[in-house]
Amino acid sequence: MANSPAPADIDVLGIGNAIVDVLSHADERFLARSDLAKGSMQLIDATRADQLYRAAGPAMEASGGSAANTIAGLAILGARAGFIGKVSNDQFGGIFRHDIKSLGIHFDTLPATEGAPTARCLVFVTPDGQRTMGTFLGACLELTELDIDEALVERAKITYLEGYLWDPPHAKLAFLKAAEAAHRAGRMVALSLSDAFCVDRHRAEFQQLVENHVDILFANEQEICSLWEVADFDAALQKTRGKTRIAALTRSEKGSVVLSGRELHVIDPAPVMRLVDTTGAGDQYAAGFLYGLVTGRSLASCGRIASLAAAEVIQHLGARPEVPLAEQVLSDFV
């Protein structure tokens, strides 16, 4: 028999990689000089991260990482949000902690006092809006099940996890501990598959996760096709039916599809006046969708809010909605 859960005073609790995003504009010559393949994401070490940081132009620094961006978006939209992620007790760790808490997000994961420094992602945005990233994972790889506060998980209506957590073995245990604590308390678990290459690395385990531990699944077209090893989106859609309570599948300029039981909603993409930076589109889609869900909207409305949030974030630099535009996103849904 399940224990009586604590009051749900947090709408969404995110668990993920705690990374400081360092975003700057760059041209093709800078990428060539820096030996960066345009549009790629490559893992780098601490020395390379320091070199790129010194070489970058004026930059915007903010707490980042996929799940953290989603949680920040939720807070900006007005949800009660929390986050669990590992930083080091250093300058970048201080930036992450200050930035995420300034949004009103509950964040009290103890920093590491030894070992690798705080993770950072150097994001170089070219004039066409394409992003090229060098990511140093650092301290966020040290997240363990000891960092999971089960009482905090029980307080959240939804615990949101990113697929990238499945790479480090300690974080995998943290992931499962959080999912089990959420379900014991009668709460929901959401998962973003994060990246098609991540799905390729862990396909069989992800299939088991989706069927046994996940209530709400977020994936783009490439990720969901990789998950079920099918060649086209329609086949992936049919494979996803019945595997989880809700699935929100994005298709870039083709919009998205939301599945739940016999329900199927095709969501048109929101208009984009000017593409500036594609960073965070999927993260903010999830933020908009979860915001709609925790505020009692229909699944179709959740999808429309998600589409608007994704369109808003790619029209300016950075992976989070700008506050006035976030208010505009919600104006039709009040």
Side-chain angles (χ1 to χ4, degrees):
M1 182 175 176
N3 294 328
S4 298
D9 59 349
I10 295 173
D11 291 316
V12 183
L13 173 67
I15 305 176
N17 290 330
I19 301 173
V20 174
D21 284 339
V22 182
L23 296 106
S24 61
H25 291 289
D27 57 23
E28 310 274 348
R29 290 174 298 174
F30 175 87
L31 299 182
R33 285 197 310 271
S34 303
D35 195 27
L36 294 167
K38 184 179 176 182
S40 69
M41 192 289 284
Q42 57 182 261
L43 295 178
I44 57 177
D45 61 19
T47 300
R48 175 80 162 134
D50 288 339
Q51 290 171 344
L52 288 174
Y53 184 70
R54 289 194 298 270
M60 174 196 302
E61 296 177 351
S63 55
S66 178
N69 285 334
T70 295
I71 293 302
L74 276 154
I76 291 169
L77 291 172
R80 301 166 299 175
F83 184 72
I84 295 173
K86 201 73 171 178
V87 297
S88 185
N89 190 21
D90 57 14
Q91 177 189 354
F92 280 105
I95 290 171
F96 185 96
R97 182 176 299 278
H98 176 271
D99 188 62
I100 201 164
K101 293 183 80 168
S102 73
L103 296 173
I105 295 166
H106 180 97
F107 176 65
D108 61 3
T109 310
L110 292 175
T113 54
E114 57 185 25
T118 297
R120 72 210 71 154
C121 180
L122 289 301
V123 184
F124 301 101
V125 183
T126 43
D128 60 358
Q130 186 70 264
R131 54 180 173 159
T132 303
M133 298 179 288
T135 303
F136 166 62
L137 291 174
C140 67
L141 294 176
E142 302 305 315
L143 181 77
T144 74
E145 56 187 323
L146 296 177
D147 294 304
I148 302 302
D149 181 347
E150 291 180 288
L152 186 63
V153 172
E154 290 175 1
R155 290 166 51 195
K157 293 178 183 175
I158 299 170
T159 294
Y160 177 78
L161 304 156
E162 60 178 78
Y164 289 127
L165 276 178
W166 209 250
D167 280 328
H170 294 304
K172 184 184 297 189
L173 295 175
F175 186 123
L176 290 172
K177 180 180 177 182
E180 289 166 1
H183 283 145
R184 278 199 308 271
R187 311 301 190 194
M188 289 195 290
V189 173
L191 169 69
S192 166
L193 290 183
S194 296
D195 178 87
F197 294 110
C198 187
V199 178
D200 290 342
R201 290 192 294 273
H202 306 293
R203 182 175 293 109
E205 291 175 301
F206 273 9
Q207 289 175 354
Q208 291 296 315
L209 275 176
V210 169
E211 294 188 45
N212 299 316
H213 294 279
V214 173
D215 304 292
I216 306 161
L217 176 67
F218 294 96
N220 66 26
E221 186 166 359
Q222 293 74 32
E223 292 158 3
I224 201 66
C225 287
S226 174
L227 180 67
W228 305 122
E229 292 187 281
V230 295
D232 64 83
F233 181 76
D234 287 340
L237 192 70
Q238 295 309 316
K239 281 274 193 177
T240 307
R241 279 187 178 278
K243 295 293 198 302
T244 188
R245 188 183 303 185
I246 300 169
L249 310 177
T250 60
R251 308 189 71 192
S252 300
E253 71 279 359
K254 296 177 183 176
S256 60
V257 176
V258 178
L259 286 172
S260 180
R262 294 182 178 275
E263 286 187 66
L264 187 150
H265 304 278
V266 178
I267 311 298
D268 291 331
V272 174
M273 301 302 293
R274 186 169 73 100
L275 176 62
V276 174
D277 173 18
T278 56
T279 308
D283 301 333
Q284 295 315 319
Y285 181 96
F289 192 93
L290 292 172
Y291 178 83
L293 207 59
V294 298
T295 53
R297 268 70 170 193
S298 68
L299 289 179
S301 290
C302 290
R304 289 197 294 272
I305 296 172
S307 184
L308 287 166
E312 186 280 323
V313 79
I314 65 176
Q315 295 183 74
H316 58 77
L317 188 66
R320 293 171 180 182
E322 292 180 344
V323 176
L325 289 176
E327 294 170 354
Q328 181 181 331
V329 161
L330 294 175
S331 62
D332 293 337
F333 293 91
V334 175

